């Protein structure tokens, strides 16, 4: 049994039980305690579980607020980030954009450009660009609609991503920590983000100040895989200082108002 399959079975058991012991996992999976220990370490590092004495429980990060409600949080910061993000795109380039509340704001600024290709799983972004009538080669990835987020996910989405090579991937995570990486709330979202980064020459993280220095449930990238981090003017210097050692280029929106 491959590690990925074991991990899925472990998570499935934890979804049905508050606590699963390492002994029970070893018996259920027909593997050694040492193999279970490695699996649990990997799942914990990815933010999916918390290890406890003798076993594991699902990581408790609280429920994520509905998408439409999250769109109305940090709206000014998201607009500032989006405004900065479009400045990275050169004429004729191709980009991928994942689905999120910050990238939804980004979509409104993308719609003002022309002569680029946009590949996205976000129905929200696709509708914004389509309605604008912009001269953009727009590709909406196929897949399943599985949550309140207006976007496609699943194996079809992931396989379609593999057909493209783009200049930039714009990703909107729920958390980023210098040492622990970049996080999504849901596994399906993390899979899309990870796949998009793998098909882009450079990756761009769009993150307001409240998400920096935080972790969440599913890690999809190391900070060393990120080329740019775009954030808003409310970010504190101590939040950004740790990124000095990573090589990530920090782009912070600065208001022109006096």
């Amino acid at each position: 049994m491959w590690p990925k399959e074991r991990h899925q079975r472990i998570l499935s058991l934890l979804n049905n039980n508050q606590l699963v012991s390492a002994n029970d996992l070893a018996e259920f999976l027909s593997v050694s305690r040492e193999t279970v220990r490695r699996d649990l370490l990997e799942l914990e590092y990815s933010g999916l579980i918390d290890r406890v004495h003798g076993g594991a429980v699902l990581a408790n990060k609280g429920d994520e607020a509905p998408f439409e409600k999250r769109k109305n949080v940090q709206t000014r910061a998201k607009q500032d980030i989006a405004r900065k993000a479009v400045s990275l795109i050169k004429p004729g380039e191709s980009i991928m954009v994942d689905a999120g509340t910050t990238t939804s704001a980004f979509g409104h600024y993308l719609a003002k450009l022309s002569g680029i290709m946009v590949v996205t799983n976000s129905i929200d972004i696709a509708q914004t660009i389509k309605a604008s009538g912009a001269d953009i080669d727009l590709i909406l990835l196929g897949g399943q609609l599985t949550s309140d987020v207006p976007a496609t996910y699943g194996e079809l989405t992931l396989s379609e991503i593999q057909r493209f090579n783009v200049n930039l991937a714009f990703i909107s995570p729920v958390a980023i920590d210098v040492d622990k990486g970049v996080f999504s709330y849901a596994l399906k979202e993390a899979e899309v983000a990870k796949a998009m980064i793998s098909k882009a020459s450079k990756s761009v993280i769009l993150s307001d100040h409240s998400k920096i220095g935080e972790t969440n449930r599913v890690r999809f990238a190391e900070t060393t895989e990120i080329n740019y981090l775009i954030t808003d003017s409310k970010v504190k210097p101590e939040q950004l200082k740790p990124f000095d050692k990573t090589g990530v280029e920090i782009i912070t929106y600065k208001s022109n108002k006096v």
Side-chain angles (χ1 to χ4, degrees):
M1 187 185 303
W2 294 100
K4 185 176 181 179
E5 185 180 353
R6 290 200 306 273
H7 294 174
Q8 290 174 340
R9 292 193 179 191
I10 290 170
L11 292 173
S12 178
L13 281 173
L14 286 170
N15 275 319
N16 295 319
N17 301 275
Q18 290 185 337
L19 169 69
V20 176
S21 72
N23 285 334
D24 288 345
L25 286 173
E27 182 177 351
F28 176 75
L29 298 171
S30 299
V31 296
S32 67
R33 282 273 313 242
E34 180 59 25
T35 297
V36 168
R37 187 185 73 83
R38 288 197 300 268
D39 287 341
L40 295 182
L41 282 170
E42 291 177 17
L43 288 167
E44 182 179 48
Y45 186 66
S46 296
L48 292 169
I49 69 164
D50 291 322
R51 288 189 301 148
V52 297
H53 181 69
V57 296
L58 284 175
N60 181 17
K61 293 291 183 179
D63 292 333
E64 189 174 42
F67 182 81
E68 289 301 323
K69 184 176 181 179
R70 286 185 281 120
K71 283 178 72 173
N72 296 318
V73 176
Q74 300 286 356
T75 53
R76 178 60 183 273
K78 290 170 183 174
Q79 291 170 2
D80 291 345
I81 290 167
R83 192 177 296 116
K84 273 293 185 182
V86 293
S87 68
L88 292 179
I89 306 171
K90 299 175 182 177
E93 287 193 328
S94 56
I95 69 170
M96 285 187 184
V97 190
D98 77 343
T101 57
T102 304
T103 47
S104 284
F106 179 51
H108 289 277
Y109 289 89
L110 279 179
K112 299 177 182 180
L113 302 181
S114 62
I116 63 171
M117 181 174 79
V118 177
V119 180
T120 184
N121 70 318
S122 169
I123 297 170
D124 208 13
I125 292 173
Q127 289 177 329
T128 297
I129 293 175
K130 182 66 176 177
S132 74
D135 179 21
I136 290 176
D137 185 3
L138 174 64
I139 298 170
L140 176 61
L141 298 165
Q144 295 176 302
L145 303 177
T146 60
S147 69
D148 72 318
V149 179
T152 56
Y153 296 102
E155 290 301 320
L156 178 58
T157 312
L158 298 176
S159 66
E160 288 197 351
I161 289 172
Q162 298 306 312
R163 300 172 65 185
F164 300 92
N165 287 305
V166 299
N167 299 104
L168 298 165
F170 292 87
I171 307 297
S172 173
V174 297
I176 177 170
D177 177 85
V178 169
D179 297 317
K180 296 183 179 179
V182 196
F183 294 81
S184 290
Y185 178 81
L187 180 60
K188 64 180 184 294
E189 297 167 353
E191 289 175 335
V192 168
K194 185 177 182 68
M196 287 184 171
I197 288 173
S198 74
K199 301 302 291 183
S201 298
K202 292 185 177 181
S203 55
V204 187
I205 294 298
L206 311 182
S207 175
D208 70 66
H209 66 281
S210 68
K211 301 175 182 178
I212 298 176
E214 300 295 325
T215 63
N216 210 276
R217 298 187 356 164
V218 191
R219 180 176 59 87
F220 62 81
E222 302 282 0
T223 50
T224 52
E225 299 176 65
I226 304 307
N227 299 99
Y228 301 97
L229 168 61
I230 303 181
T231 188
D232 61 283
S233 59
K234 291 185 179 181
V235 70
K236 297 178 181 178
E238 55 266 30
Q239 288 178 282
L240 299 180
K241 181 64 176 175
F243 286 91
D244 289 349
K245 62 184 180 182
T246 65
V248 176
E249 183 175 341
I250 308 294
I251 300 175
T252 306
Y253 180 84
K254 298 295 184 184
S255 173
N256 292 325
K257 292 182 181 180
V258 178

